[in-house]
Amino acid sequence: MNETLDPSNWDEMRQLGHLMVDDMISYLSTIRDQPVWRPIPDQVKETFSSTLPHNPTNSLAVYDDFKKNILPYNTGNVHPRFFAFVQGTGTPMGVFAEMLAAAMNPNLAIGEHSAMYVENQVLDWFKEFLGYPADASGILLSGGSMANFTALSVARNNILPDKIRKSGLRAQEKQLVAYCSTESHSCIQKSIEALGIGTDNLRKIQVNEAFQIDVAALKRQLQLDKENNFLPFCIVGNAGTVNTGAIDPLDELLAICQSEKIWFHVDGAFGALAKVVTSLSDALKPIEEADSVAFDLHKWMCMPYEAGCVLIKNKKAHRDTFALNPSYLHTDPGGLAGGPEPFNNFGIELSRGFKALKVWMSIKELGSLAYIRMIQKNCAQCQYLGSLISTHAPLELMTPVSMNIVCYRFQFPTDDLTVQNNNNKKLLLELQNQGIAAPSSTILNGHFVIRVANVNQRSQQIDFDILVKESLRIGHEISNNLL
Ligand SMILES: *Cc1c(COP(=O)(O)O)cnc(C)c1O
């Protein structure tokens, strides 16, 4: 009757906590001396197939197991030379905030408690940061995918607010169609599929040589769709594509949406925040007038995973998409069930963690200007890397550097594209396996390219010197059949 899951000896638990804090501070402060990434040995992988533990293990032993089999085989995105996918670095304060949030353990579905106010304040701060209207609604989510999904849900329901919730898509006799570019992130397609609209009704418009949506082609498709009795309901603009960091001509997309009365959504997973960089602010300014914008906080805001955000200009449309008021979630004028409007009215999730705390504490600790400097730094580092590559043949820049992404390859002396691609694949794997740096890859116009996406607050100029030097070394070793 009296058993709990709390420790029998709180002082021992406290000591373990101190040890963990010391170890993690050592881990992060010396991360530069570690390999960026290392392969996981088979005997370590085998430890993950043990059966369900029925009986207790001493807490220190559990922690030792973590240090032995989990910690060393991390993704590597905490390292200054991690440039794969688009993965943020995190900060020490973010680590501690996660612990504090877990200790408080509030649920941000509903209610009168401090965490609800913290999240609302954080949302207000991002509206200010992006110049988005102060009366917009928003919600923190797990990441860009959920933020895009949430925005597209509102865009879809906004066509026939009550009827689509009640009768589904058949409430609307015309087929809904949405538009994005061939460079848009896969989460846009997944959202469109999950929303019942179907991939066939997502028009992926071709891009120009700068990987931006071809606006003339978009207009032609839009016209064709209207003539064929489709109902265009949403255009998704890219503020920083995942492949190359391209920014669609958002001003032109906005103008089309305004004249056609179509929802304008911006996927700005990392790029929206680059609006604060002077050289990019004009291109990204139309975000201020978009109907919705999705962006991540675990990328350029350096929050520990995971956190993303969606802002929606029309609060009523947002609420009308998700709000339900069952008796067990009734709100009261006072008491625990009082408080700000439930977040449950603005998304699919009911139970939600206190991810707002890491955001709130980090922004307070560092100030928004520090983030602006980091975003500027990462863009400048990519310009620097681009210029290094351009002046270090046989390295070759595969697309002009826009924003924070650099795509390059080693030009091997061969006319065979398959050999060229395979050798570059090998070069990338060696960079990773040797623990030197962790770019990732993509395919641009049939060419396999090594792709550096830099949202790394820890990286310094020397890291790009190292990347270029080692890419050249490994490339020559492959050329000379030494690898
Ligand atoms: C990362 C990314 C996403 C997906 O965000 P997650 O946080 O990984 O869910 C969507 N769009 C773009 C452009 C991205 O870079």
Side-chain angles (χ1 to χ4, degrees):
M1 291 284 273
N2 292 326
E3 185 181 352
T4 74
L5 299 180
D6 281 333
S8 52
N9 184 331
W10 283 96
D11 279 332
E12 268 177 34
M13 200 64 175
R14 187 193 309 275
Q15 273 174 20
L16 178 59
H18 285 299
L19 177 64
M20 288 175 172
V21 168
D22 281 342
D23 287 348
M24 289 308 105
I25 289 292
S26 301
Y27 173 68
L28 292 176
S29 60
T30 61
I31 193 72
R32 181 174 277 285
D33 308 329
Q34 298 292 318
V36 178
W37 178 86
R38 65 190 108 199
I40 310 177
D42 285 341
Q43 71 267 27
V44 172
K45 286 187 189 167
E46 275 159 28
T47 65
F48 298 114
S49 35
S50 58
T51 54
L52 174 71
H54 295 296
N55 294 308
T57 308
N58 174 277
S59 39
L60 193 57
V62 176
Y63 178 55
D64 281 340
D65 201 1
F66 160 82
K67 278 200 289 189
K68 185 156 164 268
N69 292 321
I70 298 177
L71 184 62
Y73 309 104
N74 198 0
T75 327
N77 53 322
V78 287
H79 192 283
R81 282 191 301 283
F82 186 93
F83 307 120
F85 317 112
V86 191
Q87 295 198 359
T89 322
T91 63
M93 182 61 109
V95 176
F96 292 155
E98 288 283 64
M99 186 193 76
L100 305 181
M104 281 181 72
N105 199 23
N107 184 335
L108 281 82
I110 183 171
E112 170 74 347
H113 53 102
S114 54
M116 299 285 285
Y117 292 88
V118 173
E119 180 156 338
N120 276 319
Q121 177 160 47
V122 163
L123 292 168
D124 285 342
W125 285 347
F126 281 110
K127 291 178 216 166
E128 198 179 322
F129 196 84
L130 290 176
Y132 207 65
D135 58 356
S137 54
I139 186 166
L140 296 187
L141 295 150
S142 57
S145 301
M146 281 309 296
N148 280 302
F149 175 79
T150 303
L152 292 174
S153 307
V154 181
R156 181 197 66 173
N157 284 20
N158 190 50
I159 291 287
L160 281 176
D162 302 328
K163 296 199 175 139
I164 286 185
R165 279 188 77 170
K166 186 165 181 302
S167 315
L169 285 175
R170 68 192 161 162
Q172 168 56 53
E173 73 196 58
K174 292 184 181 179
Q175 298 247 320
L176 299 184
V177 282
Y179 303 80
C180 65
S181 87
T182 51
E183 290 292 302
S184 292
H185 193 275
S186 57
C187 74
I188 301 298
Q189 178 176 335
K190 282 170 100 167
S191 300
I192 289 292
E193 290 169 1
L195 288 166
I197 292 160
T199 317
D200 286 349
N201 293 337
L202 177 62
R203 308 285 190 240
K204 292 186 186 168
I205 307 297
Q206 69 199 54
V207 292
N208 60 23
E209 66 292 344
F211 299 97
Q212 302 165 304
I213 193 167
D214 178 338
V215 176
L218 168 67
K219 284 183 175 161
R220 283 196 299 275
Q221 184 65 47
L222 198 63
Q223 190 53 37
L224 197 66
D225 285 333
K226 286 197 295 184
E227 284 164 19
N228 289 324
N229 217 24
F230 287 99
L231 184 63
F233 80 101
C234 180
I235 295 177
V236 179
N238 288 304
T241 59
V242 66
N243 265 342
T244 69
I247 303 171
D248 285 335
L250 301 178
D251 51 349
E252 294 179 55
L253 300 185
L254 174 67
I256 296 172
C257 286
Q258 285 173 339
S259 73
E260 300 278 342
K261 305 224 173 343
I262 299 175
W263 188 281
F264 182 40
H265 171 65
V266 175
D267 177 8
F270 58 94
L273 296 163
K275 189 168 175 290
V276 296
V277 176
T278 319
S279 59
L280 298 170
S281 61
D282 281 350
L284 294 166
K285 192 165 171 54
I287 289 175
E288 295 172 10
E289 292 183 68
D291 292 298
S292 51
V293 55
F295 52 98
D296 267 313
L297 308 182
H298 47 223
K299 292 177 177 168
W300 246 337
M301 290 303 292
C302 308
M303 298 302 152
Y305 279 82
E306 50 207 16
C309 183
V310 67
L311 296 176
I312 295 191
K313 185 168 283 174
N314 182 340
K315 186 175 198 161
K316 181 174 181 307
H318 193 180
R319 183 189 292 119
D320 285 350
T321 297
F322 294 111
L324 274 182
N325 197 3
S327 55
Y328 45 84
L329 293 176
H330 194 67
T331 49
D332 291 328
L336 178 58
E341 178 162 6
F343 283 106
N344 185 224
N345 283 359
F346 297 106
I348 287 281
E349 296 169 328
L350 176 57
S351 292
R352 303 172 61 249
F354 194 8
K355 41 180 157 286
L357 186 63
K358 61 193 173 198
V359 188
W360 190 85
M361 290 185 76
S362 302
I363 294 179
K364 268 193 183 262
E365 181 205 22
L366 299 169
S368 68
L369 295 178
Y371 287 95
I372 295 176
R373 287 195 302 274
M374 284 309 109
I375 294 170
Q376 280 166 337
K377 176 188 86 167
N378 288 153
C379 293
Q381 286 169 332
C382 282
Q383 291 296 338
Y384 174 70
L385 175 61
S387 68
L388 281 183
I389 289 167
S390 310
T391 51
H392 283 79
L395 294 183
E396 183 187 10
L397 202 56
M398 296 301 281
T399 169
V401 178
S402 71
M403 213 182 279
N404 64 329
I405 297 186
V406 180
C407 294
Y408 71 99
R409 70 173 179 184
F410 187 100
Q411 200 175 34
F412 291 93
T414 171
D415 292 332
D416 185 332
L417 184 60
T418 311
V419 174
Q420 188 67 262
N421 286 352
N422 286 342
N423 281 346
N424 274 285
K425 239 175 249 180
K426 197 164 174 184
L427 198 167
L428 174 63
L429 286 187
E430 288 298 328
L431 282 171
Q432 295 172 353
N433 284 333
Q434 295 181 26
I436 297 164
S440 56
S441 69
T442 191
I443 309 279
L444 297 180
N445 301 323
H447 299 281
F448 177 92
V449 301
I450 298 170
R451 173 179 163 283
V452 167
N454 185 11
V455 288
N456 195 324
Q457 56 93 354
R458 235 161 239 150
S459 59
Q460 299 182 353
Q461 186 165 355
I462 190 174
D463 294 308
F464 300 90
D465 296 330
I466 294 171
L467 177 63
V468 166
K469 183 169 144 256
E470 296 293 303
S471 297
L472 284 168
R473 175 184 62 83
I474 295 169
H476 285 303
E477 285 177 16
I478 295 171
S479 276
N480 297 329
N481 290 321
L482 298 172
L483 278 173

